[in-house]
Amino acid sequence: MSLYNIKIEKLSGIGTKRAELFNKLGVFSVGGLLNFYPRDYEDWSEITSISEVENGASVCIKATVYDAFHSGYTKTGKFITKTAVCDDSGVCELVFYNNRYIDKMLKQGVTYRFFGKVSNVFGKVSMTSPTFSSDKAVAEMRPIYNLTAGLNNNTVIRAVKEAINLLPEKINDPLPQSLRERFGLCGLEYAIKNIHFPESIKALETAKKRLVVEELLVLNLGLRNLKNRKRSKNKNLISRDYSAEFESFLPFKLTNAQRRVISECVNDLKNPEISLNRLIQGDVGSGKTVVAGSVCYTLIKNGKQTAFMAPTEILAEQHYNYFKEIFKNTDIKIALLTGSMKASEKNDVRKKLALGETDLIIGTHALLTNDTEFKNLALVVTDEQHRFGVAQRAKLISKGNSPHLLVMSATPIPRTLGLIIFGDLDISTINELPPERKEINTLLIGSDKRVRALEFIKKEIAKGRQAYIVCPLVEEGETDLASAEEYSAELMLNHFSDIPVGTLHGKLKSADKEAVMRDFCDNKLKLLVSTTVIEVGIDVANATVMMIENAECFGLSQLHQLRGRVGRGGEKSWCILVSDSNTENTKERLRTMCTTNDGFKIADADLKLRGPGDFFGSRQHGLPKLSISSLADTRNLELSQKIADYVILDSQNLLDDRYRGLKSEVKRLFNTIGEESLN
Ligand code: ADP
Ligand code: MG
């Protein structure tokens, strides 16, 4: 019987009421409780002498109550009790609030251990509301759990202790002994006992490492499983590579990196064993679109159909026009399909697709999720897929005759992390920009210089250029919405009265959004005031300045993405970051933006400074929830990848009985992201 099948109510002292509180914390079963790891520990083993405590530190002192208890009320009406304790180095005052029983709980003349934050002001030491324990029955390291109103730490400790007692004599360890020995990891029983009640700091580290590595290993194996399962044989094999012919249509030479990535894709197309399932990663402006175009062309010349999906209608239109130009001297048939087209037009396009009369269809993501039919769809290209999780990718390639999948992303992701998040895809990187691409000059200014920046923007607009101003207004809540509009109203009134300004924010209906973007693309609007919705939605070569308000509110990778909206033509371009933040960390982050245009360096800095949660912002990456490990933990991430390689070599598909436990852990973790992701 698995402890996951034993409800938390089964533990003594936990009735329906308390069980509900545990449920609130995400704990439903005894097994779940054992996985409910402490958020911190109090170290009661290390005793500090009263004379040596530092002001503000959390310490454990071992001291004897020598004074009587004095109670009274504070000015604000709180019940307060004071006493004093001493060790052989000094005296410490203890203060308790609203505890009418403290003089029964502590006895004069008896020695206890007290744990808490101390203040030490000019040698007067005191502790407010410390936790305490008899000196004899003391735990070395005391776990601190996340709590919820009505549930205190001691109740959780008692429950966990009981759960540990319920562990069977022989625990089924998902990591077989041979594996643990090889990679220096401790057993599960030791790990569980020591993560909750560590015998020592060393034991805690050992336990934690084992649990972290196990969780990352399980994540790794699950994602690889996903990848292999989706890996059907190549049902759209080609006989010839047409990429050289494609290049001859272009007004420029491809970079070496573009050529390499194209040939990586074509090699997949020629391989009968696997289908193409690849992420093309390349900094903004590295030329991903033509790479995808080349792969489409090769498939089309081999008699197949291809689909190219963009995140917005505008981008779809832009891609459509771009490819029409490239293919103008060929007989390739291209069509556009977007939601806002007339029903009759859409029908017409769909009919031709079904008959195989269209070679390349370009449209929004909605294109494939409805009932569009193809004659022989062989490749789906999706642009800027960050809003696109593992689950959606899996769904896409379940369409039709297992088409190839090419995903393009401009958010550079550190390699170890990429392996996890795109675990179901192979990765190709375009690590080179076209030669004439200019760096975007990035400046950091305080808001006192904003007016000057606005004057600069005006000058650029007078030269015929366009500009963006981005403000980090959250797209929820009416107040923010009002201020987005207020902000641009103020600009128009005071600075840009004779210039057509557009406003874009998340609360606009998508048709209205598209209309504003279209006017900006058509150069009818000169200045676009926007929240981050423009991040991937628009491509205007004539825009040369971007000013970002409250730059400190953005992640670096996001700033880099935003900045990539300018510098797309041949003109010199600027990005002006406005921030009044004075914290060192923030300044350091923003300075990184000014010193480098390399998206990978920026991503690394971002990961270090903010961690992966923020790195992805609020975007869904579709991964299961981790309970102890972190994707920023590069060292253990690498170790877990190594172990995953080993396990897979050792036993394909974890079929060997030794890996039964590991296999069911994979299932359990991935259940948390919902079945649909695995289907
Ligand atoms: P991104 O990788 O950001 O999607 P695009 O594919 O939109 O970049 O390319 C940006 C611009 O650079 C386009 O106008 C494209 O035609 C141009 N471009 C792409 N490859 C090259 C190249 N090798 N040399 C010169 N210009 C290029
Ligand atoms: Mg692009």
Side-chain angles (χ1 to χ4, degrees):
M1 170 99 171
S2 157
L3 292 182
Y4 285 102
N5 295 333
I6 303 180
K7 285 209 169 124
I8 188 92
E9 285 97 320
K10 282 283 176 306
L11 297 176
S12 60
I14 298 187
T16 328
K17 273 258 170 58
R18 276 205 176 134
E20 269 168 21
L21 297 174
F22 273 103
N23 293 170
K24 236 180 173 173
L25 295 168
V27 177
F28 296 89
S29 65
V30 173
L33 182 62
L34 291 174
N35 279 345
F36 182 64
Y37 304 124
R39 75 173 157 78
D40 203 359
Y41 303 85
E42 288 175 351
D43 187 353
W44 291 64
S45 64
E46 189 87 1
I47 306 282
T48 308
S49 308
I50 291 176
S51 64
E52 279 165 16
V53 299
E54 278 171 35
N55 187 30
S58 284
V59 295
C60 184
I61 59 171
K62 180 175 165 179
T64 309
V65 180
Y66 78 86
D67 196 6
F69 292 86
H70 308 281
S71 294
Y73 288 90
T74 65
K75 277 183 206 134
T76 54
K78 270 195 208 157
F79 184 73
I80 180 172
T81 307
K82 288 185 181 178
T83 182
V85 296
C86 64
D87 64 9
D88 30 11
S89 76
V91 173
C92 174
E93 180 188 53
L94 300 186
V95 182
F96 296 90
Y97 288 104
N98 291 333
N99 187 337
R100 289 171 190 273
Y101 303 101
I102 193 69
D103 54 349
K104 312 272 178 316
M105 295 161 88
L106 290 173
K107 290 205 168 60
Q108 247 180 306
V110 176
T111 302
Y112 301 87
R113 294 191 186 200
F114 298 93
F115 194 102
K117 201 165 157 177
V118 285
S119 81
N120 183 351
V121 183
F122 302 124
K124 183 172 188 289
V125 179
S126 76
M127 251 184 188
T128 300
S129 306
T131 41
F132 51 87
S133 172
S134 134
D135 184 41
K136 280 164 209 131
V138 95
E140 302 270 76
M141 299 268 280
R142 195 180 262 227
I144 310 290
Y145 294 93
N146 276 329
L147 301 172
T148 183
L151 196 61
N152 70 33
N153 204 48
N154 282 335
T155 309
V156 181
I157 288 180
R158 241 179 292 129
V160 172
K161 278 193 175 145
E162 203 187 330
I164 285 178
N165 283 335
L166 289 180
L167 283 172
E169 193 116 337
K170 210 172 151 290
I171 294 188
N172 277 329
D173 192 328
L175 305 183
Q177 189 171 356
S178 56
L179 195 70
R180 279 184 277 137
E181 276 170 10
R182 173 174 282 266
F183 293 99
L185 300 170
C186 71
L188 182 59
E189 181 172 348
Y190 181 89
I192 288 181
K193 287 183 174 162
N194 280 285
I195 197 75
H196 290 288
F197 306 106
E199 287 162 12
S200 63
I201 291 190
K202 184 106 203 324
L204 174 60
E205 278 166 7
T206 307
K208 190 159 179 204
K209 170 151 186 173
R210 133 90 207 212
L211 294 169
V212 165
V213 171
E214 179 187 325
E215 187 170 61
L216 293 174
L217 172 66
V218 166
L219 181 65
N220 255 296
L221 288 171
L223 288 167
R224 288 182 202 211
N225 182 37
L226 218 53
K227 177 166 167 174
N228 290 334
R229 263 219 284 180
K230 299 305 161 215
R231 225 59 211 291
S232 54
K233 295 224 167 185
N234 187 342
K235 301 213 179 110
N236 296 287
L237 206 60
I238 61 160
S239 47
R240 248 191 86 184
D241 173 6
Y242 287 86
S243 50
E245 191 171 301
F246 176 83
E247 189 170 348
S248 73
F249 306 150
L250 301 174
F252 47 76
K253 268 169 92 173
L254 290 174
T255 61
N256 288 331
Q258 285 172 311
R259 287 198 192 123
R260 172 177 46 76
V261 171
I262 291 170
S263 73
E264 282 165 6
C265 295
V266 171
N267 282 343
D268 288 351
L269 299 180
K270 285 180 175 166
N271 182 351
E273 292 307 316
I274 52 157
S275 54
L276 169 77
N277 215 350
R278 203 169 269 281
L279 170 76
I280 296 183
Q281 195 176 230
D283 215 338
V284 273
S286 60
K288 294 181 289 294
T289 317
V290 274
V291 167
S294 175
V295 179
C296 289
Y297 185 71
T298 284
L299 277 164
I300 293 167
K301 293 298 276 184
N302 280 274
K304 311 284 183 189
Q305 282 179 301
T306 56
F308 196 119
M309 303 195 303
T312 64
E313 295 206 352
I314 298 270
L315 263 188
E317 270 172 39
Q318 288 184 329
H319 285 320
Y320 173 70
N321 292 328
Y322 185 72
F323 283 121
K324 251 196 7 206
E325 176 65 23
I326 289 178
F327 290 128
K328 67 180 176 218
N329 295 321
T330 70
D331 55 1
I332 301 292
K333 290 185 232 37
I334 312 177
L336 177 70
L337 183 58
T338 63
S340 64
M341 280 164 52
K342 279 200 218 107
S344 60
E345 285 174 330
K346 278 192 256 190
N347 276 339
D348 200 40
V349 171
R350 290 218 168 92
K351 227 176 263 160
K352 285 188 173 149
L353 271 179
L355 291 170
E357 286 169 15
T358 301
D359 302 314
L360 170 59
I361 179 82
I362 297 171
T364 44
H365 286 162
L367 179 68
L368 279 199
T369 42
N370 56 32
D371 50 10
T372 310
E373 274 179 45
F374 292 85
K375 183 156 180 241
N376 58 357
L377 177 65
L379 170 70
V380 176
V381 180
T382 114
D383 195 7
E384 306 293 1
Q385 50 59 62
H386 253 93
R387 289 117 218 261
F388 231 57
V390 178
Q392 284 151 305
R393 291 200 290 273
K395 206 167 181 182
L396 258 186
I397 39 181
S398 66
K399 279 242 156 198
N401 192 22
S402 309
H404 299 293
L405 177 67
L406 205 52
V407 173
M408 297 192 293
S409 170
T411 308
I413 291 165
R415 198 186 130 71
T416 36
L417 203 53
L419 283 175
I420 287 283
I421 290 163
F422 299 108
D424 58 332
L425 299 171
D426 296 323
I427 300 181
S428 287
T429 305
I430 308 182
N431 54 356
E432 188 184 348
L433 293 179
E436 61 269 36
R437 186 84 1 114
K438 296 205 175 65
E439 299 238 308
I440 301 162
N441 300 293
T442 304
L443 326 162
L444 175 61
I445 62 170
S447 61
D448 53 326
K449 302 237 169 63
R450 179 190 286 119
V451 175
R452 271 173 67 186
L454 293 173
E455 289 304 314
F456 176 74
I457 290 175
K458 251 167 131 168
K459 267 194 205 139
E460 282 291 298
I461 291 174
K463 279 196 225 159
R465 314 270 169 263
Q466 288 162 278
Y468 300 98
I469 296 182
V470 179
C471 29
L473 300 158
V474 194
E475 287 154 30
E476 301 145 15
E478 294 301 314
T479 46
D480 287 325
L481 172 59
S483 48
E485 278 166 349
E486 267 167 31
Y487 179 90
S488 66
E490 192 269 330
L491 276 180
M492 280 186 258
L493 196 67
N494 296 325
H495 303 278
F496 297 100
S497 50
D498 48 352
I499 290 169
V501 179
T503 309
L504 211 55
H505 53 74
K507 278 279 164 73
L508 287 177
K509 284 203 204 95
S510 74
D512 294 340
K513 241 187 262 178
E514 297 269 348
V516 172
M517 287 198 256
R518 182 160 294 122
D519 285 346
F520 191 71
C521 289
D522 295 345
N523 204 355
K524 286 183 198 147
L525 295 170
K526 299 294 177 183
L527 174 66
L528 191 59
V529 177
S530 170
T531 59
T532 55
V533 289
I534 58 161
E535 200 176 323
V536 295
I538 205 168
D539 191 345
V540 178
N542 189 44
T544 53
V545 201
M546 172 175 286
M547 178 165 119
I548 304 178
E549 293 277 1
N550 292 92
E552 72 280 358
C553 298
F554 297 95
L556 290 189
S557 291
Q558 203 179 7
L559 287 173
H560 184 63
Q561 282 289 102
L562 284 167
R563 170 169 76 176
R565 296 299 105 197
V566 295
R568 299 179 82 80
E571 302 298 329
K572 206 169 157 68
S573 299
W574 285 270
C575 173
I576 304 168
L577 306 174
V578 185
S579 174
D580 288 331
S581 169
N582 275 324
T583 67
E584 237 346 276
N585 181 296
T586 307
K587 278 202 212 144
E588 189 190 331
R589 286 199 306 126
L590 296 178
R591 268 186 233 122
T592 311
M593 291 300 298
C594 302
T595 52
T596 181
N597 268 280
D598 180 334
F600 280 87
K601 279 197 193 135
I602 288 169
D604 272 331
D606 211 12
L607 188 63
K608 280 205 196 84
L609 293 165
R610 307 214 313 170
D614 286 326
F615 182 75
F616 292 103
S618 55
R619 292 168 175 183
Q620 291 284 313
H621 48 53
L623 286 181
K625 195 167 170 295
L626 299 171
S627 60
I628 190 168
S629 60
S630 147
L631 293 178
D633 182 353
T634 318
R635 255 175 67 203
N636 285 322
L637 208 50
E638 274 164 12
L639 175 60
S640 72
Q641 269 152 14
K642 214 165 96 191
I643 302 176
D645 289 340
Y646 173 83
V647 168
I648 285 167
L649 259 184
D650 194 34
S651 165
Q652 195 68 46
N653 288 331
L654 310 187
L655 284 178
D656 195 297
D657 202 46
R658 267 174 308 145
Y659 293 120
R660 207 176 35 180
L662 197 52
K663 213 171 164 174
S664 62
E665 286 301 309
V666 171
K667 248 190 165 154
R668 211 162 50 75
L669 184 69
F670 277 79
N671 269 340
T672 60
I673 59 173
E675 267 306 302
E676 90 204 78
S677 327
L678 287 169
N679 292 330

